[in-house]
Amino acid sequence: MINNSVFKDEEKDRMNHKIKRLIPTPESYFMQVKCPQCENITLVFSHSQSSMTCKSCSKILCYPTGGKVKLTCGVFFSKQIKN
């Protein structure tokens, strides 16, 4: 059996601040945003600094707030899974 003393508790490590983790991981992610009018899916960065619009109907999907983006009313999202 391998004694893994460096990575004692991964769940506890995730609860730490991103700078104090043993292996630094970002808090940001990409998300798939679904337009409520045309149901077109657009890929959006979670900390985007510009507002994103739907390519087909030009509806505003999200707008920046200085940190994470704020989704407009009726817009659904899901986190993109790493491949």
Side-chain angles (χ1 to χ4, degrees):
M1 186 179 283
I2 300 172
N3 185 4
N4 197 354
S5 61
V6 176
F7 305 104
K8 291 184 179 178
D9 193 7
E10 292 181 17
E11 291 181 23
K12 190 175 180 182
D13 191 39
R14 283 189 208 136
M15 297 301 291
N16 287 341
H17 190 268
K18 64 181 179 180
I19 295 175
K20 295 182 180 181
R21 293 181 188 151
L22 287 175
I23 300 173
T25 55
E27 298 281 329
S28 57
Y29 50 90
F30 285 96
M31 54 187 174
Q32 296 175 339
V33 178
K34 186 176 183 181
C35 179
Q37 289 180 351
C38 65
E39 297 186 359
N40 191 16
I41 296 176
T42 306
L43 190 65
V44 177
F45 187 60
S46 66
H47 290 72
S48 177
Q49 303 218 350
S50 60
S51 60
M52 298 295 294
T53 58
C54 181
K55 301 292 182 194
S56 60
C57 67
S58 300
K59 178 178 171 53
I60 295 177
L61 299 174
C62 60
Y63 55 91
T65 61
K68 289 188 178 180
V69 295
K70 182 86 170 178
L71 298 175
T72 56
C73 188
V75 176
F76 299 104
F77 81 98
S78 63
K79 285 187 181 181
Q80 177 145 1
I81 301 170
K82 295 178 184 177
N83 291 336

